[in-house]
Amino acid sequence: LYGTTANTSTVRLGTDPLVRAVTWAQRPGGQAEYEVRLSGAPYGYLTLWQDGAFVLRVRRPPAVDAERPLRGLRIAVDPGHPPIGATGPTGLYEAEMTLAVGERLRAELERRGATVLMTRTTAQPVGLAERPIMARQGDAHAFVSVHGNALPDGVNPFLAHGTSTYYFHPHSAPLARLVQEGMLRRMGLRDLGTFQGNL
């Protein structure tokens, strides 16, 4: 943590053995360093301030039912836009397409046993910053945002079409690769790649 002086008198581990130990030290230049030792690889984490205290929540990987792998998982589906968004050469507005795809994705995920949280179900705009908050409040295991990028003017869509998948956190890379591979296999789209990006 930068620009702070630690005032840690108590570290509460809780009852989950995933977190084995936490140590901390004050470093020069207003840096506080915390080291969290885990008994296994985490599935994700969340940092927040709560009642004046810094809170780090670490999530363990969910139990997966081999018969129905999505059963018990909560997945946030985010039909990208509005506000703004691209408009294709036919006049199709991105937010219309993403909502239709998002609804189909929700139906498929629910059919496979997942609980789905939609960030929007109408054409009403939802703020960009509100969407991940909705997913966190819903305690989602995954956040999937659907987009349909338009090509620049003068680019032939019959030659330059394709699909790509983006992820932010390193632990999301395997999911991004699987999503990309699935779209290529099922839809026969051209592979534009899988990327890490802060969108």
Side-chain angles (χ1 to χ4, degrees), residues 90-128:
T90 65
L92 178 63
Y93 177 43
E94 183 177 3
E96 296 173 42
M97 181 279 301
T98 59
L99 184 55
V101 171
E103 292 288 359
R104 289 191 64 181
L105 178 57
R106 171 171 64 178
E108 183 63 22
L109 291 170
E110 287 176 343
R111 186 182 73 75
R112 293 177 181 223
T115 299
V116 178
L117 164 74
M118 298 288 288
T119 60
R120 71 179 182 97
T121 56
T122 70
Q124 291 299 111
V126 176
L128 186 61

PDB file of all heavy atoms in Angstrom, residues 90-128:
ATOM      1  N   THR A  90     -24.967  -1.570 -41.036  1.00  0.00           N
ATOM      2  CA  THR A  90     -26.400  -1.746 -41.287  1.00  0.00           C
ATOM      3  C   THR A  90     -27.242  -0.832 -40.405  1.00  0.00           C
ATOM      4  O   THR A  90     -28.460  -0.821 -40.510  1.00  0.00           O
ATOM      5  CB  THR A  90     -26.817  -3.206 -41.023  1.00  0.00           C
ATOM      6  OG1 THR A  90     -26.636  -3.481 -39.625  1.00  0.00           O
ATOM      7  CG2 THR A  90     -26.021  -4.178 -41.879  1.00  0.00           C
ATOM      8  N   GLY A  91     -26.579  -0.099 -39.494  1.00  0.00           N
ATOM      9  CA  GLY A  91     -27.297   0.755 -38.560  1.00  0.00           C
ATOM     10  C   GLY A  91     -27.599   0.072 -37.238  1.00  0.00           C
ATOM     11  O   GLY A  91     -28.234   0.665 -36.360  1.00  0.00           O
ATOM     12  N   LEU A  92     -27.161  -1.179 -37.078  1.00  0.00           N
ATOM     13  CA  LEU A  92     -27.386  -1.894 -35.823  1.00  0.00           C
ATOM     14  C   LEU A  92     -26.529  -1.275 -34.726  1.00  0.00           C
ATOM     15  O   LEU A  92     -25.308  -1.178 -34.850  1.00  0.00           O
ATOM     16  CB  LEU A  92     -27.046  -3.379 -35.970  1.00  0.00           C
ATOM     17  CG  LEU A  92     -27.200  -4.225 -34.708  1.00  0.00           C
ATOM     18  CD1 LEU A  92     -28.656  -4.259 -34.236  1.00  0.00           C
ATOM     19  CD2 LEU A  92     -26.687  -5.638 -34.946  1.00  0.00           C
ATOM     20  N   TYR A  93     -27.179  -0.871 -33.653  1.00  0.00           N
ATOM     21  CA  TYR A  93     -26.513  -0.240 -32.520  1.00  0.00           C
ATOM     22  C   TYR A  93     -25.989  -1.338 -31.602  1.00  0.00           C
ATOM     23  O   TYR A  93     -26.682  -2.308 -31.305  1.00  0.00           O
ATOM     24  CB  TYR A  93     -27.510   0.675 -31.806  1.00  0.00           C
ATOM     25  CG  TYR A  93     -27.015   1.366 -30.572  1.00  0.00           C
ATOM     26  CD1 TYR A  93     -25.747   1.944 -30.508  1.00  0.00           C
ATOM     27  CD2 TYR A  93     -27.833   1.471 -29.452  1.00  0.00           C
ATOM     28  CE1 TYR A  93     -25.309   2.588 -29.362  1.00  0.00           C
ATOM     29  CE2 TYR A  93     -27.409   2.117 -28.306  1.00  0.00           C
ATOM     30  CZ  TYR A  93     -26.145   2.662 -28.267  1.00  0.00           C
ATOM     31  OH  TYR A  93     -25.718   3.289 -27.124  1.00  0.00           O
ATOM     32  N   GLU A  94     -24.761  -1.192 -31.143  1.00  0.00           N
ATOM     33  CA  GLU A  94     -24.097  -2.216 -30.349  1.00  0.00           C
ATOM     34  C   GLU A  94     -24.922  -2.639 -29.135  1.00  0.00           C
ATOM     35  O   GLU A  94     -24.990  -3.833 -28.806  1.00  0.00           O
ATOM     36  CB  GLU A  94     -22.723  -1.724 -29.904  1.00  0.00           C
ATOM     37  CG  GLU A  94     -21.923  -2.747 -29.128  1.00  0.00           C
ATOM     38  CD  GLU A  94     -20.532  -2.264 -28.759  1.00  0.00           C
ATOM     39  OE1 GLU A  94     -20.180  -1.102 -29.055  1.00  0.00           O
ATOM     40  OE2 GLU A  94     -19.785  -3.045 -28.148  1.00  0.00           O
ATOM     41  N   ALA A  95     -25.537  -1.680 -28.454  1.00  0.00           N
ATOM     42  CA  ALA A  95     -26.285  -2.004 -27.237  1.00  0.00           C
ATOM     43  C   ALA A  95     -27.466  -2.928 -27.511  1.00  0.00           C
ATOM     44  O   ALA A  95     -27.843  -3.730 -26.651  1.00  0.00           O
ATOM     45  CB  ALA A  95     -26.763  -0.724 -26.562  1.00  0.00           C
ATOM     46  N   GLU A  96     -28.060  -2.841 -28.705  1.00  0.00           N
ATOM     47  CA  GLU A  96     -29.159  -3.740 -29.059  1.00  0.00           C
ATOM     48  C   GLU A  96     -28.642  -5.161 -29.229  1.00  0.00           C
ATOM     49  O   GLU A  96     -29.239  -6.131 -28.747  1.00  0.00           O
ATOM     50  CB  GLU A  96     -29.822  -3.289 -30.366  1.00  0.00           C
ATOM     51  CG  GLU A  96     -30.503  -1.951 -30.305  1.00  0.00           C
ATOM     52  CD  GLU A  96     -30.970  -1.517 -31.683  1.00  0.00           C
ATOM     53  OE1 GLU A  96     -31.508  -2.363 -32.440  1.00  0.00           O
ATOM     54  OE2 GLU A  96     -30.791  -0.333 -32.024  1.00  0.00           O
ATOM     55  N   MET A  97     -27.535  -5.288 -29.946  1.00  0.00           N
ATOM     56  CA  MET A  97     -26.948  -6.602 -30.199  1.00  0.00           C
ATOM     57  C   MET A  97     -26.476  -7.245 -28.902  1.00  0.00           C
ATOM     58  O   MET A  97     -26.711  -8.427 -28.651  1.00  0.00           O
ATOM     59  CB  MET A  97     -25.791  -6.462 -31.190  1.00  0.00           C
ATOM     60  CG  MET A  97     -25.094  -7.776 -31.556  1.00  0.00           C
ATOM     61  SD  MET A  97     -23.872  -8.408 -30.383  1.00  0.00           S
ATOM     62  CE  MET A  97     -22.698  -7.090 -30.316  1.00  0.00           C
ATOM     63  N   THR A  98     -25.799  -6.464 -28.052  1.00  0.00           N
ATOM     64  CA  THR A  98     -25.248  -7.052 -26.824  1.00  0.00           C
ATOM     65  C   THR A  98     -26.360  -7.510 -25.878  1.00  0.00           C
ATOM     66  O   THR A  98     -26.198  -8.512 -25.189  1.00  0.00           O
ATOM     67  CB  THR A  98     -24.306  -6.071 -26.100  1.00  0.00           C
ATOM     68  OG1 THR A  98     -25.019  -4.876 -25.770  1.00  0.00           O
ATOM     69  CG2 THR A  98     -23.099  -5.735 -26.963  1.00  0.00           C
ATOM     70  N   LEU A  99     -27.489  -6.793 -25.869  1.00  0.00           N
ATOM     71  CA  LEU A  99     -28.602  -7.217 -25.021  1.00  0.00           C
ATOM     72  C   LEU A  99     -29.187  -8.537 -25.526  1.00  0.00           C
ATOM     73  O   LEU A  99     -29.459  -9.449 -24.735  1.00  0.00           O
ATOM     74  CB  LEU A  99     -29.682  -6.140 -24.941  1.00  0.00           C
ATOM     75  CG  LEU A  99     -30.849  -6.426 -23.996  1.00  0.00           C
ATOM     76  CD1 LEU A  99     -30.363  -6.721 -22.576  1.00  0.00           C
ATOM     77  CD2 LEU A  99     -31.839  -5.267 -23.997  1.00  0.00           C
ATOM     78  N   ALA A 100     -29.347  -8.664 -26.841  1.00  0.00           N
ATOM     79  CA  ALA A 100     -29.875  -9.911 -27.410  1.00  0.00           C
ATOM     80  C   ALA A 100     -28.927 -11.080 -27.129  1.00  0.00           C
ATOM     81  O   ALA A 100     -29.362 -12.163 -26.719  1.00  0.00           O
ATOM     82  CB  ALA A 100     -30.099  -9.741 -28.914  1.00  0.00           C
ATOM     83  N   VAL A 101     -27.631 -10.866 -27.319  1.00  0.00           N
ATOM     84  CA  VAL A 101     -26.654 -11.922 -27.044  1.00  0.00           C
ATOM     85  C   VAL A 101     -26.617 -12.227 -25.541  1.00  0.00           C
ATOM     86  O   VAL A 101     -26.556 -13.389 -25.132  1.00  0.00           O
ATOM     87  CB  VAL A 101     -25.252 -11.526 -27.567  1.00  0.00           C
ATOM     88  CG1 VAL A 101     -24.185 -12.509 -27.088  1.00  0.00           C
ATOM     89  CG2 VAL A 101     -25.259 -11.445 -29.086  1.00  0.00           C
ATOM     90  N   GLY A 102     -26.676 -11.187 -24.710  1.00  0.00           N
ATOM     91  CA  GLY A 102     -26.670 -11.375 -23.260  1.00  0.00           C
ATOM     92  C   GLY A 102     -27.846 -12.210 -22.778  1.00  0.00           C
ATOM     93  O   GLY A 102     -27.706 -13.061 -21.897  1.00  0.00           O
ATOM     94  N   GLU A 103     -29.027 -11.974 -23.364  1.00  0.00           N
ATOM     95  CA  GLU A 103     -30.217 -12.747 -22.976  1.00  0.00           C
ATOM     96  C   GLU A 103     -30.061 -14.212 -23.378  1.00  0.00           C
ATOM     97  O   GLU A 103     -30.431 -15.116 -22.625  1.00  0.00           O
ATOM     98  CB  GLU A 103     -31.476 -12.146 -23.622  1.00  0.00           C
ATOM     99  CG  GLU A 103     -31.852 -10.770 -23.097  1.00  0.00           C
ATOM    100  CD  GLU A 103     -32.417 -10.786 -21.682  1.00  0.00           C
ATOM    101  OE1 GLU A 103     -32.552 -11.871 -21.073  1.00  0.00           O
ATOM    102  OE2 GLU A 103     -32.726  -9.700 -21.165  1.00  0.00           O
ATOM    103  N   ARG A 104     -29.496 -14.464 -24.546  1.00  0.00           N
ATOM    104  CA  ARG A 104     -29.265 -15.851 -24.972  1.00  0.00           C
ATOM    105  C   ARG A 104     -28.209 -16.521 -24.096  1.00  0.00           C
ATOM    106  O   ARG A 104     -28.318 -17.692 -23.754  1.00  0.00           O
ATOM    107  CB  ARG A 104     -28.864 -15.896 -26.442  1.00  0.00           C
ATOM    108  CG  ARG A 104     -30.046 -15.569 -27.358  1.00  0.00           C
ATOM    109  CD  ARG A 104     -29.762 -15.842 -28.784  1.00  0.00           C
ATOM    110  NE  ARG A 104     -29.527 -17.264 -29.008  1.00  0.00           N
ATOM    111  CZ  ARG A 104     -29.240 -17.779 -30.186  1.00  0.00           C
ATOM    112  NH1 ARG A 104     -29.140 -16.981 -31.247  1.00  0.00           N
ATOM    113  NH2 ARG A 104     -29.031 -19.062 -30.337  1.00  0.00           N
ATOM    114  N   LEU A 105     -27.183 -15.753 -23.736  1.00  0.00           N
ATOM    115  CA  LEU A 105     -26.143 -16.278 -22.856  1.00  0.00           C
ATOM    116  C   LEU A 105     -26.738 -16.626 -21.494  1.00  0.00           C
ATOM    117  O   LEU A 105     -26.442 -17.675 -20.916  1.00  0.00           O
ATOM    118  CB  LEU A 105     -25.005 -15.271 -22.719  1.00  0.00           C
ATOM    119  CG  LEU A 105     -23.855 -15.651 -21.794  1.00  0.00           C
ATOM    120  CD1 LEU A 105     -23.216 -16.971 -22.214  1.00  0.00           C
ATOM    121  CD2 LEU A 105     -22.809 -14.533 -21.780  1.00  0.00           C
ATOM    122  N   ARG A 106     -27.598 -15.746 -20.978  1.00  0.00           N
ATOM    123  CA  ARG A 106     -28.250 -16.022 -19.691  1.00  0.00           C
ATOM    124  C   ARG A 106     -29.040 -17.320 -19.757  1.00  0.00           C
ATOM    125  O   ARG A 106     -28.919 -18.175 -18.874  1.00  0.00           O
ATOM    126  CB  ARG A 106     -29.182 -14.886 -19.288  1.00  0.00           C
ATOM    127  CG  ARG A 106     -30.025 -15.275 -18.064  1.00  0.00           C
ATOM    128  CD  ARG A 106     -30.826 -14.181 -17.458  1.00  0.00           C
ATOM    129  NE  ARG A 106     -31.846 -13.654 -18.324  1.00  0.00           N
ATOM    130  CZ  ARG A 106     -32.700 -12.701 -17.960  1.00  0.00           C
ATOM    131  NH1 ARG A 106     -32.631 -12.180 -16.750  1.00  0.00           N
ATOM    132  NH2 ARG A 106     -33.596 -12.258 -18.787  1.00  0.00           N
ATOM    133  N   ALA A 107     -29.836 -17.508 -20.808  1.00  0.00           N
ATOM    134  CA  ALA A 107     -30.651 -18.716 -20.937  1.00  0.00           C
ATOM    135  C   ALA A 107     -29.768 -19.969 -20.982  1.00  0.00           C
ATOM    136  O   ALA A 107     -30.077 -20.986 -20.339  1.00  0.00           O
ATOM    137  CB  ALA A 107     -31.522 -18.633 -22.191  1.00  0.00           C
ATOM    138  N   GLU A 108     -28.659 -19.911 -21.704  1.00  0.00           N
ATOM    139  CA  GLU A 108     -27.768 -21.066 -21.824  1.00  0.00           C
ATOM    140  C   GLU A 108     -27.074 -21.373 -20.494  1.00  0.00           C
ATOM    141  O   GLU A 108     -26.961 -22.532 -20.088  1.00  0.00           O
ATOM    142  CB  GLU A 108     -26.735 -20.829 -22.922  1.00  0.00           C
ATOM    143  CG  GLU A 108     -25.798 -21.991 -23.170  1.00  0.00           C
ATOM    144  CD  GLU A 108     -26.497 -23.250 -23.656  1.00  0.00           C
ATOM    145  OE1 GLU A 108     -27.623 -23.158 -24.205  1.00  0.00           O
ATOM    146  OE2 GLU A 108     -25.926 -24.341 -23.473  1.00  0.00           O
ATOM    147  N   LEU A 109     -26.616 -20.328 -19.803  1.00  0.00           N
ATOM    148  CA  LEU A 109     -25.953 -20.534 -18.512  1.00  0.00           C
ATOM    149  C   LEU A 109     -26.926 -21.107 -17.487  1.00  0.00           C
ATOM    150  O   LEU A 109     -26.579 -22.013 -16.719  1.00  0.00           O
ATOM    151  CB  LEU A 109     -25.352 -19.225 -18.008  1.00  0.00           C
ATOM    152  CG  LEU A 109     -24.150 -18.689 -18.788  1.00  0.00           C
ATOM    153  CD1 LEU A 109     -23.814 -17.272 -18.343  1.00  0.00           C
ATOM    154  CD2 LEU A 109     -22.943 -19.610 -18.630  1.00  0.00           C
ATOM    155  N   GLU A 110     -28.165 -20.592 -17.468  1.00  0.00           N
ATOM    156  CA  GLU A 110     -29.170 -21.108 -16.529  1.00  0.00           C
ATOM    157  C   GLU A 110     -29.531 -22.546 -16.873  1.00  0.00           C
ATOM    158  O   GLU A 110     -29.721 -23.368 -15.976  1.00  0.00           O
ATOM    159  CB  GLU A 110     -30.406 -20.211 -16.538  1.00  0.00           C
ATOM    160  CG  GLU A 110     -30.159 -18.875 -15.847  1.00  0.00           C
ATOM    161  CD  GLU A 110     -31.340 -17.929 -15.921  1.00  0.00           C
ATOM    162  OE1 GLU A 110     -32.252 -18.141 -16.762  1.00  0.00           O
ATOM    163  OE2 GLU A 110     -31.348 -16.948 -15.148  1.00  0.00           O
ATOM    164  N   ARG A 111     -29.610 -22.871 -18.154  1.00  0.00           N
ATOM    165  CA  ARG A 111     -29.893 -24.243 -18.571  1.00  0.00           C
ATOM    166  C   ARG A 111     -28.819 -25.198 -18.052  1.00  0.00           C
ATOM    167  O   ARG A 111     -29.091 -26.347 -17.716  1.00  0.00           O
ATOM    168  CB  ARG A 111     -29.974 -24.310 -20.099  1.00  0.00           C
ATOM    169  CG  ARG A 111     -30.403 -25.663 -20.640  1.00  0.00           C
ATOM    170  CD  ARG A 111     -30.419 -25.686 -22.155  1.00  0.00           C
ATOM    171  NE  ARG A 111     -29.094 -25.698 -22.734  1.00  0.00           N
ATOM    172  CZ  ARG A 111     -28.286 -26.757 -22.770  1.00  0.00           C
ATOM    173  NH1 ARG A 111     -28.661 -27.886 -22.229  1.00  0.00           N
ATOM    174  NH2 ARG A 111     -27.095 -26.679 -23.328  1.00  0.00           N
ATOM    175  N   ARG A 112     -27.597 -24.684 -17.926  1.00  0.00           N
ATOM    176  CA  ARG A 112     -26.484 -25.513 -17.453  1.00  0.00           C
ATOM    177  C   ARG A 112     -26.294 -25.434 -15.933  1.00  0.00           C
ATOM    178  O   ARG A 112     -25.315 -25.950 -15.414  1.00  0.00           O
ATOM    179  CB  ARG A 112     -25.205 -25.084 -18.160  1.00  0.00           C
ATOM    180  CG  ARG A 112     -25.243 -25.397 -19.644  1.00  0.00           C
ATOM    181  CD  ARG A 112     -24.013 -24.916 -20.335  1.00  0.00           C
ATOM    182  NE  ARG A 112     -24.069 -25.187 -21.753  1.00  0.00           N
ATOM    183  CZ  ARG A 112     -23.054 -25.657 -22.458  1.00  0.00           C
ATOM    184  NH1 ARG A 112     -21.907 -25.913 -21.873  1.00  0.00           N
ATOM    185  NH2 ARG A 112     -23.188 -25.860 -23.735  1.00  0.00           N
ATOM    186  N   GLY A 113     -27.199 -24.746 -15.229  1.00  0.00           N
ATOM    187  CA  GLY A 113     -27.185 -24.780 -13.774  1.00  0.00           C
ATOM    188  C   GLY A 113     -26.658 -23.551 -13.064  1.00  0.00           C
ATOM    189  O   GLY A 113     -26.656 -23.502 -11.838  1.00  0.00           O
ATOM    190  N   ALA A 114     -26.206 -22.550 -13.789  1.00  0.00           N
ATOM    191  CA  ALA A 114     -25.671 -21.340 -13.157  1.00  0.00           C
ATOM    192  C   ALA A 114     -26.803 -20.405 -12.731  1.00  0.00           C
ATOM    193  O   ALA A 114     -27.894 -20.430 -13.298  1.00  0.00           O
ATOM    194  CB  ALA A 114     -24.736 -20.609 -14.110  1.00  0.00           C
ATOM    195  N   THR A 115     -26.513 -19.581 -11.745  1.00  0.00           N
ATOM    196  CA  THR A 115     -27.389 -18.461 -11.394  1.00  0.00           C
ATOM    197  C   THR A 115     -26.801 -17.239 -12.087  1.00  0.00           C
ATOM    198  O   THR A 115     -25.608 -16.975 -11.970  1.00  0.00           O
ATOM    199  CB  THR A 115     -27.404 -18.246  -9.870  1.00  0.00           C
ATOM    200  OG1 THR A 115     -27.907 -19.432  -9.246  1.00  0.00           O
ATOM    201  CG2 THR A 115     -28.261 -17.053  -9.493  1.00  0.00           C
ATOM    202  N   VAL A 116     -27.628 -16.496 -12.826  1.00  0.00           N
ATOM    203  CA  VAL A 116     -27.127 -15.392 -13.645  1.00  0.00           C
ATOM    204  C   VAL A 116     -27.644 -14.063 -13.116  1.00  0.00           C
ATOM    205  O   VAL A 116     -28.833 -13.903 -12.851  1.00  0.00           O
ATOM    206  CB  VAL A 116     -27.529 -15.572 -15.129  1.00  0.00           C
ATOM    207  CG1 VAL A 116     -27.060 -14.394 -15.965  1.00  0.00           C
ATOM    208  CG2 VAL A 116     -26.959 -16.878 -15.667  1.00  0.00           C
ATOM    209  N   LEU A 117     -26.722 -13.124 -12.976  1.00  0.00           N
ATOM    210  CA  LEU A 117     -27.045 -11.750 -12.613  1.00  0.00           C
ATOM    211  C   LEU A 117     -26.820 -10.898 -13.862  1.00  0.00           C
ATOM    212  O   LEU A 117     -25.701 -10.863 -14.385  1.00  0.00           O
ATOM    213  CB  LEU A 117     -26.125 -11.272 -11.483  1.00  0.00           C
ATOM    214  CG  LEU A 117     -26.071  -9.765 -11.258  1.00  0.00           C
ATOM    215  CD1 LEU A 117     -27.351  -9.301 -10.588  1.00  0.00           C
ATOM    216  CD2 LEU A 117     -24.870  -9.379 -10.435  1.00  0.00           C
ATOM    217  N   MET A 118     -27.861 -10.255 -14.359  1.00  0.00           N
ATOM    218  CA  MET A 118     -27.741  -9.389 -15.531  1.00  0.00           C
ATOM    219  C   MET A 118     -27.511  -7.953 -15.071  1.00  0.00           C
ATOM    220  O   MET A 118     -28.210  -7.465 -14.194  1.00  0.00           O
ATOM    221  CB  MET A 118     -29.015  -9.443 -16.381  1.00  0.00           C
ATOM    222  CG  MET A 118     -29.337 -10.804 -16.954  1.00  0.00           C
ATOM    223  SD  MET A 118     -28.232 -11.317 -18.284  1.00  0.00           S
ATOM    224  CE  MET A 118     -28.739 -10.247 -19.614  1.00  0.00           C
ATOM    225  N   THR A 119     -26.556  -7.265 -15.685  1.00  0.00           N
ATOM    226  CA  THR A 119     -26.334  -5.861 -15.333  1.00  0.00           C
ATOM    227  C   THR A 119     -27.394  -4.962 -15.955  1.00  0.00           C
ATOM    228  O   THR A 119     -27.624  -3.867 -15.461  1.00  0.00           O
ATOM    229  CB  THR A 119     -24.948  -5.381 -15.768  1.00  0.00           C
ATOM    230  OG1 THR A 119     -24.824  -5.523 -17.187  1.00  0.00           O
ATOM    231  CG2 THR A 119     -23.845  -6.156 -15.056  1.00  0.00           C
ATOM    232  N   ARG A 120     -28.011  -5.415 -17.036  1.00  0.00           N
ATOM    233  CA  ARG A 120     -29.160  -4.698 -17.592  1.00  0.00           C
ATOM    234  C   ARG A 120     -30.019  -5.668 -18.389  1.00  0.00           C
ATOM    235  O   ARG A 120     -29.518  -6.640 -18.963  1.00  0.00           O
ATOM    236  CB  ARG A 120     -28.743  -3.509 -18.455  1.00  0.00           C
ATOM    237  CG  ARG A 120     -28.110  -3.853 -19.774  1.00  0.00           C
ATOM    238  CD  ARG A 120     -27.760  -2.604 -20.582  1.00  0.00           C
ATOM    239  NE  ARG A 120     -27.189  -2.960 -21.864  1.00  0.00           N
ATOM    240  CZ  ARG A 120     -27.861  -3.028 -22.995  1.00  0.00           C
ATOM    241  NH1 ARG A 120     -29.151  -2.760 -23.017  1.00  0.00           N
ATOM    242  NH2 ARG A 120     -27.259  -3.360 -24.130  1.00  0.00           N
ATOM    243  N   THR A 121     -31.337  -5.396 -18.400  1.00  0.00           N
ATOM    244  CA  THR A 121     -32.286  -6.223 -19.147  1.00  0.00           C
ATOM    245  C   THR A 121     -33.166  -5.367 -20.053  1.00  0.00           C
ATOM    246  O   THR A 121     -34.084  -5.884 -20.676  1.00  0.00           O
ATOM    247  CB  THR A 121     -33.177  -7.034 -18.189  1.00  0.00           C
ATOM    248  OG1 THR A 121     -33.830  -6.127 -17.289  1.00  0.00           O
ATOM    249  CG2 THR A 121     -32.355  -8.040 -17.395  1.00  0.00           C
ATOM    250  N   THR A 122     -32.877  -4.070 -20.100  1.00  0.00           N
ATOM    251  CA  THR A 122     -33.635  -3.145 -20.948  1.00  0.00           C
ATOM    252  C   THR A 122     -32.649  -2.261 -21.700  1.00  0.00           C
ATOM    253  O   THR A 122     -31.433  -2.352 -21.500  1.00  0.00           O
ATOM    254  CB  THR A 122     -34.573  -2.249 -20.108  1.00  0.00           C
ATOM    255  OG1 THR A 122     -33.770  -1.327 -19.345  1.00  0.00           O
ATOM    256  CG2 THR A 122     -35.462  -3.065 -19.178  1.00  0.00           C
ATOM    257  N   ALA A 123     -33.194  -1.363 -22.519  1.00  0.00           N
ATOM    258  CA  ALA A 123     -32.362  -0.424 -23.270  1.00  0.00           C
ATOM    259  C   ALA A 123     -31.892   0.754 -22.419  1.00  0.00           C
ATOM    260  O   ALA A 123     -31.113   1.587 -22.889  1.00  0.00           O
ATOM    261  CB  ALA A 123     -33.128   0.094 -24.492  1.00  0.00           C
ATOM    262  N   GLN A 124     -32.332   0.820 -21.164  1.00  0.00           N
ATOM    263  CA  GLN A 124     -31.938   1.924 -20.286  1.00  0.00           C
ATOM    264  C   GLN A 124     -30.440   1.881 -20.022  1.00  0.00           C
ATOM    265  O   GLN A 124     -29.888   0.815 -19.754  1.00  0.00           O
ATOM    266  CB  GLN A 124     -32.692   1.860 -18.966  1.00  0.00           C
ATOM    267  CG  GLN A 124     -34.175   2.159 -19.088  1.00  0.00           C
ATOM    268  CD  GLN A 124     -34.413   3.555 -19.627  1.00  0.00           C
ATOM    269  OE1 GLN A 124     -34.886   3.717 -20.739  1.00  0.00           O
ATOM    270  NE2 GLN A 124     -34.088   4.561 -18.850  1.00  0.00           N
ATOM    271  N   PRO A 125     -29.759   3.050 -20.064  1.00  0.00           N
ATOM    272  CA  PRO A 125     -28.310   3.083 -19.806  1.00  0.00           C
ATOM    273  C   PRO A 125     -27.979   2.671 -18.368  1.00  0.00           C
ATOM    274  O   PRO A 125     -28.729   2.958 -17.436  1.00  0.00           O
ATOM    275  CB  PRO A 125     -27.939   4.553 -20.033  1.00  0.00           C
ATOM    276  CG  PRO A 125     -29.049   5.137 -20.831  1.00  0.00           C
ATOM    277  CD  PRO A 125     -30.278   4.366 -20.455  1.00  0.00           C
ATOM    278  N   VAL A 126     -26.861   1.973 -18.228  1.00  0.00           N
ATOM    279  CA  VAL A 126     -26.299   1.619 -16.925  1.00  0.00           C
ATOM    280  C   VAL A 126     -24.861   2.105 -16.939  1.00  0.00           C
ATOM    281  O   VAL A 126     -24.113   1.808 -17.877  1.00  0.00           O
ATOM    282  CB  VAL A 126     -26.349   0.095 -16.672  1.00  0.00           C
ATOM    283  CG1 VAL A 126     -25.680  -0.258 -15.350  1.00  0.00           C
ATOM    284  CG2 VAL A 126     -27.784  -0.410 -16.702  1.00  0.00           C
ATOM    285  N   GLY A 127     -24.460   2.867 -15.928  1.00  0.00           N
ATOM    286  CA  GLY A 127     -23.118   3.430 -15.880  1.00  0.00           C
ATOM    287  C   GLY A 127     -22.039   2.358 -15.886  1.00  0.00           C
ATOM    288  O   GLY A 127     -22.200   1.279 -15.304  1.00  0.00           O
ATOM    289  N   LEU A 128     -20.934   2.662 -16.539  1.00  0.00           N
ATOM    290  CA  LEU A 128     -19.818   1.719 -16.641  1.00  0.00           C
ATOM    291  C   LEU A 128     -19.296   1.325 -15.265  1.00  0.00           C
ATOM    292  O   LEU A 128     -19.018   0.149 -15.006  1.00  0.00           O
ATOM    293  CB  LEU A 128     -18.700   2.343 -17.488  1.00  0.00           C
ATOM    294  CG  LEU A 128     -17.522   1.452 -17.827  1.00  0.00           C
ATOM    295  CD1 LEU A 128     -17.961   0.243 -18.630  1.00  0.00           C
ATOM    296  CD2 LEU A 128     -16.469   2.241 -18.592  1.00  0.00           C
TER     297      LEU A 128
END
